[in-house]
Amino acid sequence: MGSTDHSGLMDRIYRHQRHIYDLTRKYYLLGRDRMLDGLDVPAGGSVLELGCGTGRNIVLAARRYPEARFYGLDISAEMLETAKAAIDGEGIAARVTLARGDATDFDTKALFGQEKFDRVFVSYSLSMIPGWEKTVSAALAVLKPEGSLHVVDFGEQERLPRWFRAMLRAWLAKFHVEPRATLRDELETEAGKRNSSVFFETLYRGYAVKAVVGA
């Protein structure tokens, strides 16, 4: 699926859902706040979210790190419209920049006027992105030398009942979401190319995973 096709698909899926997205997703997109708490953004630092969606994570991160600047990238114009409204409502538009783009192939200099970032994070987006492996390598490529990539997403549910796993995966498939069984291997491979460390954690009996690559 090309980026144009994927953009259209995401806009169709979230054209109406975006209005209730945060209200409903808080019950099953687990581990997001734990990831944000662990960003440990340096004073005056820069943070990029790939697949920023409704802007929910950027708003919360901006509260936690009031001296940082934030950048959000998403392929869906519908989601970006909601994100902009959330950011304007929070009164943080002066330190947040949003742009429409493909998380597997983007130019941060052209989009944001900034090439490197202290932190990059991806929250429950890799499981929706065709060619998600390219997102991992692209994210690491825009990190500053002491920067880090933070990921949270669906896990393999390996310690949850089989019936629950089957039900969850069938439901996720309706939204073109697929847990990435090779996520840990991909992160370790890409980190190895850069001599970076990987911290990988399984949450909630395998329901979700959280990872940090870099400093």
Side-chain angles (χ1 to χ4, degrees), residues 17 19-29 32 171:
Q17 280 197 46
H19 300 294
I20 59 169
Y21 185 93
D22 290 333
L23 179 65
T24 57
R25 267 57 176 185
K26 70 179 182 180
Y27 296 109
Y28 63 87
L29 298 187
R32 293 181 297 172
W171 186 77

Side-chain angles (χ1 to χ4, degrees), residues 63-75:
R63 292 176 187 170
R64 286 169 168 78
Y65 309 103
E67 296 181 2
R69 286 198 57 84
F70 291 86
Y71 303 84
L73 178 75
D74 204 279
I75 202 167

Side-chain angles (χ1 to χ4, degrees), residues 6-212:
H6 187 56
S7 174
L9 174 63
M10 292 299 99
D11 279 343
R12 289 193 297 275
I13 289 176
Y14 293 115
R15 181 164 292 120
H16 302 296
Q17 280 197 46
R18 63 191 174 93
H19 300 294
I20 59 169
Y21 185 93
D22 290 333
L23 179 65
T24 57
R25 267 57 176 185
K26 70 179 182 180
Y27 296 109
Y28 63 87
L29 298 187
L30 307 178
R32 293 181 297 172
D33 292 349
R34 182 185 291 193
M35 180 201 66
L36 295 178
D37 287 339
L39 288 178
D40 193 25
V41 183
S46 55
V47 183
L48 169 64
E49 180 179 14
L50 299 176
C52 64
T54 63
R56 180 262 188 196
N57 294 325
I58 287 179
V59 167
L60 292 181
R63 292 176 187 170
R64 286 169 168 78
Y65 309 103
E67 296 181 2
R69 286 198 57 84
F70 291 86
Y71 303 84
L73 178 75
D74 204 279
I75 202 167
S76 169
E78 298 285 345
M79 282 298 214
L80 287 172
E81 183 178 330
T82 297
K84 184 179 184 304
I87 288 161
D88 288 345
E90 186 72 12
I92 56 174
R95 57 192 183 97
V96 178
T97 304
L98 302 176
R100 189 178 186 186
D102 184 345
T104 67
D105 183 15
F106 55 88
D107 181 345
T108 55
K109 180 67 173 177
L111 292 171
F112 303 117
Q114 177 148 334
E115 295 185 46
K116 301 291 183 178
F117 303 84
D118 294 289
R119 302 288 183 267
V120 177
F121 70 90
V122 193
S123 171
Y124 283 94
S125 292
L126 293 179
S127 53
M128 299 187 70
I129 297 174
W132 60 274
E133 297 91 344
K134 295 179 181 178
T135 299
V136 172
S137 59
L140 292 172
V142 297
L143 282 176
K144 292 181 180 180
E146 298 302 318
S148 54
L149 167 64
H150 301 249
V151 176
V152 65
D153 214 315
F154 290 106
E156 290 294 288
Q157 303 97 44
E158 65 274 9
R159 291 185 287 125
L160 290 168
R162 184 176 298 177
W163 64 265
F164 180 87
R165 180 178 179 177
M167 181 181 68
L168 176 64
R169 287 175 175 258
W171 186 77
L172 292 176
K174 295 179 183 294
F175 301 97
H176 302 270
V177 175
E178 180 184 357
R180 304 307 188 187
T182 60
L183 175 58
R184 183 171 190 167
D185 290 341
E186 187 66 26
L187 292 174
E188 290 179 344
T189 296
E190 289 299 320
K193 296 176 182 178
R194 296 164 173 80
N195 295 317
S196 298
S197 63
V198 179
F199 172 79
F200 195 91
E201 181 181 9
T202 299
L203 307 175
Y204 315 113
R205 299 177 65 189
Y207 180 91
V209 294
K210 184 171 75 72
V212 180

